[in-house]
Amino acid sequence: MNENNKKVKSYVLLGGVIGFALLIMLFNRVNSRNGELVVISVDGEVVKELALDVDNELEVIGFDGGKNKVVVRDGVCYVNEADCPDKLCIKQGGISKIGESIICLPHRVVVTIKGSEEKGELDSMSK
């Protein structure tokens, strides 16, 4: 009976941790702001900045000639074509909130959503 009691306590603890993590994710999702700028970098160097509110498509040449197609449509940015082997950058889906990123490790391409620095708004760290 003691062994079963330990298992039940372990499952309750695991369920509590998962529930708490889901609450934090929900809180962050609800309180995050929409971004205004898409910053695309290859191997740490910014290659292009796009407005998130203007529909656009861009082919990005990554490390070793790899190609990613970055699309901005209806305020959402996503990668819809890539010639990397795992295609995880496509599977990451669309991003639109400040701080969200899409990363293609084989091509060393990072797509990040940023806010507008010109407005002098406080970020979440300085509130």
Side-chain angles (χ1 to χ4, degrees), residues 34-36 38 51-56 71-78 94-97 100 113:
N34 283 335
E36 297 177 16
V38 178
L52 193 56
D53 60 352
V54 177
D55 290 354
N56 208 335
V71 177
V72 177
R73 184 150 291 113
D74 299 326
V76 177
C77 179
Y78 55 95
I95 58 175
S96 63
K97 305 285 186 185
E100 290 182 322
I113 303 296

Side-chain angles (χ1 to χ4, degrees), residues 18-126:
I18 291 172
F20 185 68
L22 289 173
L23 281 174
I24 290 174
M25 284 176 45
L26 179 64
F27 178 77
N28 284 338
R29 187 81 171 165
V30 169
N31 288 324
S32 60
R33 297 186 330 234
N34 283 335
E36 297 177 16
L37 193 64
V38 178
V39 179
I40 303 167
S41 60
V42 176
D43 209 11
E45 299 290 325
V46 174
V47 294
K48 191 74 173 177
E49 293 182 353
L50 303 170
L52 193 56
D53 60 352
V54 177
D55 290 354
N56 208 335
E57 292 185 9
L58 177 70
E59 184 174 87
V60 179
I61 306 300
F63 177 75
D64 228 9
K67 295 179 185 174
N68 297 73
K69 186 174 179 184
V70 177
V71 177
V72 177
R73 184 150 291 113
D74 299 326
V76 177
C77 179
Y78 55 95
V79 174
N80 74 340
E81 291 179 22
D83 61 4
C84 53
D86 55 13
K87 311 262 191 273
L88 289 177
C89 50
I90 296 172
K91 295 173 187 172
Q92 289 178 49
I95 58 175
S96 63
K97 305 285 186 185
I98 294 174
E100 290 182 322
S101 296
I102 298 172
I103 300 168
C104 180
L105 286 177
H107 298 161
R108 299 182 189 174
V109 172
V110 178
V111 180
T112 305
I113 303 296
K114 302 239 175 167
S116 173
E117 288 83 22
E118 299 89 45
K119 293 187 177 181
E121 296 178 23
L122 297 176
D123 64 11
S124 61
M125 298 299 287
S126 57

